[in-house]
Amino acid sequence: MKQGIHPENYRLVAFKDMSNEDVFITKSTAKTKESIEVDGTEYPLIKLEISRTSHPYYTGQTKLVDSAGRIDKFKNKYSKFKKK
């Protein structure tokens, strides 16, 4: 592994999922101007739109949005390759 290419300034950072207000703490070098208090300790805050607690793959709540019949168009186009 190459020497001197990895950051040295890892610190504990709070990541907050804005869709469900879940907060988790892990080490990161990401810069931020905001902070949050968790369990009496103040941490730098990184806001997320989606995380493991709200992502459809992990929650099992997949949503199928079909506008303009794209799914039917795809199925019709590739139905000739379907195994019998």
Side-chain angles (χ1 to χ4, degrees), residues 31-83:
K31 295 184 186 331
T32 182
K33 295 179 181 179
E34 299 180 75
S35 62
I36 189 172
E37 188 171 321
V38 178
D39 298 330
T41 306
E42 192 165 320
Y43 297 101
L45 174 65
I46 303 290
K47 294 180 180 177
L48 304 172
E49 293 181 23
I50 195 164
S51 72
R52 70 194 186 321
T53 59
S54 63
H55 193 281
Y57 179 80
Y58 298 108
T59 62
Q61 300 172 345
T62 58
K63 295 179 185 174
L64 182 61
V65 178
D66 182 22
S67 60
R70 286 186 261 161
I71 294 173
D72 291 332
K73 184 178 176 183
F74 177 84
K75 286 181 180 179
N76 290 335
K77 183 176 181 180
Y78 291 102
S79 64
K80 60 185 171 188
F81 299 109
K82 188 176 180 180
K83 291 183 180 180

